[in-house]
Amino acid sequence: MTVELALTVARIITAVVFVAIGITHFVPSVVRTMAAMVPAVFHGRPFSPRGWVWVTGVAEIAGGIGLLVPATRPAAGILLAVFLVCVFPANAYAAHHRDRFGVVAVPLVPRMLMQLALIALVLWVGLA
């Protein structure tokens, strides 16, 4: 497999995963769980916890689609990296409340490493 083919496959898989995860942000049971993960400091600033879930779902869908369109690919990669930084506080909150979130709450250090790997991935598939 050539590097270009590997990049194309990685880009498509990354895009599909972001779109699929974004779609889950509109499934009521998922919305409830994710809304509970939004730290109180973000409530009403400017969205309710559910609003944040919906906005992040739209962002993931748009970012995933953006990775597939050559004209928007670089912006999508950069914006997805920024997005991953922005949603980290919710992941950290869940990590600190494992009793409440169960398996969704990945421990903080592994979650941070996963987030960094995802940031590297979206920048690679977006900017390469």
Side-chain angles (χ1 to χ4, degrees):
M1 182 182 302
T2 67
V3 173
E4 190 60 37
L5 180 58
L7 175 61
T8 300
V9 169
R11 184 178 292 131
I12 292 168
I13 291 170
T14 303
V16 168
V17 168
F18 270 95
V19 170
I21 292 172
I23 290 169
T24 69
H25 285 60
F26 299 93
V27 174
S29 61
V30 176
V31 172
R32 279 190 299 279
T33 300
M34 288 185 174
M37 292 171 59
V38 176
V41 69
F42 295 106
H43 295 193
R45 294 191 175 134
F47 306 109
S48 69
R50 284 179 187 254
W52 279 114
V53 173
W54 295 328
V55 166
T56 57
V58 169
E60 287 182 286
I61 293 167
I65 293 169
L67 289 176
L68 299 175
V69 179
T72 60
R73 185 174 296 142
I78 292 167
L79 291 172
L80 282 171
V82 171
F83 167 84
L84 290 165
V85 171
C86 291
V87 299
F88 189 73
N91 296 308
Y93 179 81
H96 282 85
H97 297 89
R98 292 199 59 158
D99 56 319
R100 187 171 173 195
F101 296 106
V103 296
V104 175
V106 175
L108 188 60
V109 172
R111 181 59 200 201
M112 183 174 54
L113 295 174
M114 286 177 11
Q115 209 80 350
L116 290 171
L118 282 170
I119 290 167
L121 176 65
V122 296
L123 289 173
W124 177 56
V125 300
L127 300 176

